[in-house]
Short mmCIF file of all heavy atoms in Angstrom, two decimals:
data_model
loop_
_atom_site.label_atom_id
_atom_site.label_comp_id
_atom_site.label_asym_id
_atom_site.label_seq_id
_atom_site.Cartn_x
_atom_site.Cartn_y
_atom_site.Cartn_z
N LYS Q 479 19.83 8.15 18.73
CA LYS Q 479 21.26 7.87 18.87
C LYS Q 479 22.06 9.13 19.18
O LYS Q 479 23.11 9.06 19.82
CB LYS Q 479 21.79 7.22 17.59
CG LYS Q 479 21.29 5.80 17.35
CD LYS Q 479 21.81 5.27 16.02
CE LYS Q 479 21.36 3.83 15.78
NZ LYS Q 479 21.83 3.32 14.46
N ASP Q 480 21.55 10.27 18.71
CA ASP Q 480 22.30 11.52 18.86
C ASP Q 480 21.88 12.34 20.07
O ASP Q 480 22.68 13.11 20.62
CB ASP Q 480 22.12 12.39 17.61
CG ASP Q 480 22.82 11.80 16.40
OD1 ASP Q 480 23.74 10.99 16.58
OD2 ASP Q 480 22.43 12.14 15.26
N ARG Q 481 20.64 12.20 20.49
CA ARG Q 481 20.11 13.03 21.57
C ARG Q 481 20.60 12.54 22.92
O ARG Q 481 20.30 11.41 23.34
CB ARG Q 481 18.58 12.99 21.53
CG ARG Q 481 17.87 13.67 22.70
CD ARG Q 481 18.10 15.16 22.70
NE ARG Q 481 17.18 15.81 23.64
CZ ARG Q 481 17.30 17.07 24.03
NH1 ARG Q 481 18.31 17.80 23.58
NH2 ARG Q 481 16.43 17.59 24.87
N MET Q 482 21.39 13.37 23.61
CA MET Q 482 21.95 13.01 24.91
C MET Q 482 21.05 13.57 26.01
O MET Q 482 20.84 14.78 26.09
CB MET Q 482 23.36 13.56 25.05
CG MET Q 482 24.31 13.21 23.90
SD MET Q 482 24.53 11.43 23.68
CE MET Q 482 25.52 11.07 25.13
N GLN Q 483 20.52 12.69 26.83
CA GLN Q 483 19.65 13.15 27.91
C GLN Q 483 19.48 12.05 28.96
O GLN Q 483 19.21 10.91 28.62
CB GLN Q 483 18.28 13.56 27.35
CG GLN Q 483 17.35 14.16 28.39
CD GLN Q 483 16.14 14.80 27.74
OE1 GLN Q 483 16.25 15.81 27.05
NE2 GLN Q 483 14.99 14.21 27.93
N GLY Q 484 19.64 12.42 30.23
CA GLY Q 484 19.44 11.47 31.32
C GLY Q 484 20.63 10.54 31.51
O GLY Q 484 21.61 10.56 30.75
N ARG Q 485 20.51 9.69 32.51
CA ARG Q 485 21.58 8.76 32.84
C ARG Q 485 20.98 7.39 33.12
O ARG Q 485 19.82 7.26 33.49
CB ARG Q 485 22.36 9.27 34.04
CG ARG Q 485 23.18 10.53 33.72
CD ARG Q 485 23.48 11.38 34.91
NE ARG Q 485 24.21 12.58 34.51
CZ ARG Q 485 23.62 13.67 34.00
NH1 ARG Q 485 22.29 13.70 33.87
NH2 ARG Q 485 24.35 14.71 33.66
N ILE Q 486 21.81 6.37 32.95
CA ILE Q 486 21.37 4.99 33.15
C ILE Q 486 22.22 4.36 34.24
O ILE Q 486 23.45 4.47 34.23
CB ILE Q 486 21.51 4.17 31.84
CG1 ILE Q 486 20.67 4.79 30.73
CG2 ILE Q 486 21.12 2.72 32.07
CD1 ILE Q 486 19.19 4.69 30.92
N ALA Q 487 21.56 3.69 35.18
CA ALA Q 487 22.29 2.98 36.25
C ALA Q 487 23.20 1.93 35.62
O ALA Q 487 22.84 1.31 34.61
CB ALA Q 487 21.30 2.32 37.20
N PRO Q 488 24.41 1.77 36.18
CA PRO Q 488 24.90 2.34 37.45
C PRO Q 488 25.52 3.73 37.29
O PRO Q 488 25.95 4.32 38.28
CB PRO Q 488 25.95 1.33 37.89
CG PRO Q 488 26.51 0.82 36.60
CD PRO Q 488 25.36 0.76 35.63
N ASN Q 489 25.57 4.25 36.03
CA ASN Q 489 26.20 5.56 35.80
C ASN Q 489 25.14 6.66 35.86
O ASN Q 489 24.93 7.40 34.89
CB ASN Q 489 26.92 5.56 34.46
CG ASN Q 489 27.98 4.49 34.36
OD1 ASN Q 489 28.79 4.33 35.27
ND2 ASN Q 489 27.97 3.72 33.28
N ASN Q 490 24.46 6.76 37.01
CA ASN Q 490 23.35 7.68 37.12
C ASN Q 490 23.56 8.78 38.15
O ASN Q 490 22.62 9.36 38.67
CB ASN Q 490 22.06 6.92 37.42
CG ASN Q 490 22.16 6.07 38.67
OD1 ASN Q 490 23.23 5.93 39.25
ND2 ASN Q 490 21.05 5.49 39.08
N LYS Q 491 24.82 9.05 38.46
CA LYS Q 491 25.13 10.15 39.36
C LYS Q 491 25.10 11.46 38.57
O LYS Q 491 25.35 11.47 37.37
CB LYS Q 491 26.50 9.94 40.00
CG LYS Q 491 26.63 8.67 40.84
CD LYS Q 491 28.01 8.55 41.45
CE LYS Q 491 28.16 7.25 42.23
NZ LYS Q 491 28.08 6.07 41.33
N PRO Q 492 24.81 12.58 39.24
CA PRO Q 492 24.74 13.87 38.55
C PRO Q 492 26.02 14.20 37.78
O PRO Q 492 25.96 14.85 36.73
CB PRO Q 492 24.49 14.88 39.68
CG PRO Q 492 23.83 14.08 40.74
CD PRO Q 492 24.44 12.72 40.67
N GLU Q 493 27.17 13.77 38.32
CA GLU Q 493 28.43 14.09 37.66
C GLU Q 493 28.74 13.16 36.48
O GLU Q 493 29.67 13.41 35.71
CB GLU Q 493 29.59 14.06 38.66
CG GLU Q 493 29.84 12.71 39.33
CD GLU Q 493 29.03 12.55 40.62
OE1 GLU Q 493 28.03 13.30 40.80
OE2 GLU Q 493 29.42 11.69 41.44
N ASP Q 494 27.97 12.07 36.36
CA ASP Q 494 28.17 11.16 35.24
C ASP Q 494 27.69 11.80 33.93
O ASP Q 494 26.77 12.62 33.92
CB ASP Q 494 27.43 9.84 35.46
CG ASP Q 494 28.06 8.99 36.55
OD1 ASP Q 494 29.29 9.10 36.74
OD2 ASP Q 494 27.33 8.25 37.23
#
Side-chain angles (χ1 to χ4, degrees):
K479 290 177 178 178
D480 291 339
R481 173 66 168 167
M482 308 300 288
Q483 185 168 292
R485 291 156 182 81
I486 300 291
N489 302 312
N490 56 352
K491 300 180 183 65
E493 61 270 20
D494 289 330

